[in-house]
Amino acid sequence: VSVQASIPDKTVERLILYRSLLKHTAEKGTRSLFSHQIADLVGGTAAQVRRDLMAVGYTGNPREGYKIEDLVACIDKMLNAPEGFTMALVGVGNLGRAILNHFAGLSGQTKVLAAFDIDSNKVGRVICGCRCHHISEIKQVLTGYTVNLGVITVPVTEAQTVADRLVEAGVRGLVNFTPVPVKVPSSVYMEHMELATVFEKVAFFSRH
Amino acid sequence: VSVQASIPDKTVERLILYRSLLKHTAEKGTRSLFSHQIADLVGGTAAQVRRDLMAVGYTGNPREGYKIEDLVACIDKMLNAPEGFTMALVGVGNLGRAILNHFAGLSGQTKVLAAFDIDSNKVGRVICGCRCHHISEIKQVLTGYTVNLGVITVPVTEAQTVADRLVEAGVRGLVNFTPVPVKVPSSVYMEHMELATVFEKVAFFSRH
DNA sequence: ACATGTGAAATCGTTCACAGCT
DNA sequence: AGCTGTGAACGATTTCACATGT
């Protein structure tokens, strides 16, 4: 009944997943679900679903379970995403382009404000539906916008510089795809997500 | 002094990071490091570094710290990676191609055995340095190989089918980039890694 | 002195179990 | 009878703190 002040990392991740799958389920005509049915959808346990839903302050009832439409609205409100979020991407290489393409195709949930690269062949052009500026212009281009997310897909040598410039431009959430950790002020939320590391971890556990 | 039987998920991830950064440091001529120096490199704490290193069974000494060369060798052995690992990728779209390109450029650490797609324009061609087969041939093509890692970068509707076929072909570690969780036997290690979810999580925490 | 290796404590996250509602 | 909401138990991970070695 009461809403938590600060929601754990893992819970937020799952709430986003719940919302996505619930929307999908609603489109098939289902009106409401019990916690164990949501658990089946996401591959978790009923207890965990209920615990996670405590964080959003929406309460179901034993007869009907959770009304999907209301629950989704509630998660939306909790995640502060009335009109989606905005992002800027730095480093228009293979991975950067793949990400731009992925979000260019999507509906208005995610808005890519700008892309940046150091390569003069790319600067000035529109790549994957997104205007590409020079890295040195990060601050100028982003000033005046609220950028929720900065994506770093540059070569490893540029990672720290680019992170510094994004922070300087007021971006307070970063995803770093390079192999080195970068230093940012503690007020900035950083996710270090390198594919090679994750792949190697999975390869390791696949051999027990 | 004693080596743990089962190493935690998080520790494995950090060990891979340590190894990568230690190799880099060694190339600059540094011979040995103390735990707090390693902590600075990776953005962690000295206590955590020491705790993680307990898992690999390599022991430093208070005068010199950890000898980089030996430590890297020890992590290598622990991660069971004498000659890297092998992977197969299914879904040669934007993201799939970006991943293939990324690992095609790398040295022999990671070997991409094969790629698969459903599109007949792609089947039979060599894409990003990797031969592309039809999805229905997963089992035939992979039989006889040990595949440590299956990467799923197909559209969401195909995710479960593709996962089933990879498991059937003997692949016991999967990374799933689609927005839906897939069901696999408990003997298979699965990592669900969707970019949109991670991005939205970071965007959320960037707003506190 | 100062850094390591490691029990023990603290923190964080998940699961259990059950009172209460419908 | 069956499900929700939640305190309490449990398990995992991180941090503390200090005995030990050089």
Side-chain angles (χ1 to χ4, degrees), chain B residues 157-174:
Chain B
T157 48
E158 307 296 324
Q160 184 63 58
T161 309
V162 163
D164 292 344
R165 292 199 184 163
L166 285 167
V167 170
E168 191 197 15
V171 182
R172 295 174 55 150
L174 299 177

Side-chain angles (χ1 to χ4, degrees), chain B residues 100-172:
Chain B
L100 286 179
N101 261 315
H102 191 257
F103 288 95
L106 247 76
S107 60
Q109 183 75 316
T110 310
K111 186 150 170 52
V112 186
L113 284 180
F116 299 90
D117 205 291
I118 207 168
D119 182 349
S120 55
N121 290 336
K122 290 169 188 162
V123 171
R125 290 175 43 206
V126 174
I127 300 175
C128 304
C130 186
R131 171 132 245 128
C132 185
H133 306 268
H134 191 270
I135 279 187
S136 62
E137 297 177 68
I138 289 176
K139 193 174 181 184
Q140 297 142 56
V141 173
L142 297 184
T143 295
Y145 292 99
T146 298
V147 184
N148 303 118
L149 174 64
V151 177
I152 303 174
T153 47
V154 296
V156 56
T157 48
E158 307 296 324
Q160 184 63 58
T161 309
V162 163
D164 292 344
R165 292 199 184 163
L166 285 167
V167 170
E168 191 197 15
V171 182
R172 295 174 55 150

Side-chain angles (χ1 to χ4, degrees), chain A residues 10-186:
Chain A
K10 296 286 182 66
T11 298
V12 171
E13 227 164 72
R14 283 191 299 265
L15 285 172
I16 294 167
L17 181 61
Y18 298 164
R19 182 180 54 177
S20 155
L21 296 173
L22 287 172
K23 277 181 182 169
H24 219 253
T25 305
E27 282 169 15
K28 292 178 185 160
T30 310
R31 288 262 157 249
S32 57
L33 291 173
F34 296 114
S35 61
H36 63 90
Q37 296 176 297
I38 299 179
D40 284 349
L41 277 179
V42 303
T45 68
Q48 180 152 82
V49 170
R50 294 203 301 276
R51 177 68 59 186
D52 285 339
L53 294 191
M54 282 179 70
V56 303
Y58 175 73
T59 165
N61 74 65
R63 185 173 302 294
E64 288 258 39
Y66 303 89
K67 195 149 175 298
I68 295 180
E69 193 185 354
D70 295 355
L71 178 51
V72 167
C74 219
I75 296 177
D76 263 334
K77 200 173 60 177
M78 154 70 32
L79 295 175
N80 276 327
E83 66 276 330
F85 64 91
T86 58
M87 88 184 218
L89 182 142
V90 189
V92 190
N94 289 318
L95 184 55
R97 273 196 301 270
I99 292 170
L100 287 178
N101 260 315
H102 191 258
F103 287 95
L106 247 76
S107 60
Q109 183 74 318
T110 310
K111 184 147 172 52
V112 185
L113 284 181
F116 299 90
D117 205 290
I118 207 168
D119 183 349
S120 55
N121 290 334
K122 290 169 187 161
V123 171
R125 289 176 45 206
V126 174
I127 299 175
C128 304
C130 185
R131 173 132 242 130
C132 184
H133 307 267
H134 192 270
I135 280 186
S136 62
E137 298 177 67
I138 289 177
K139 193 175 181 184
Q140 296 142 56
V141 172
L142 297 184
T143 295
Y145 293 99
T146 297
V147 184
N148 303 118
L149 173 65
V151 178
I152 303 174
T153 47
V154 295
V156 57
T157 48
E158 307 297 325
Q160 184 63 60
T161 309
V162 162
D164 292 344
R165 292 202 184 161
L166 284 167
V167 170
E168 192 197 13
V171 181
R172 296 174 55 149
L174 299 177
V175 180
N176 172 21
F177 282 93
T178 77
V180 291
V182 300
K183 290 210 195 314
V184 292
S186 63

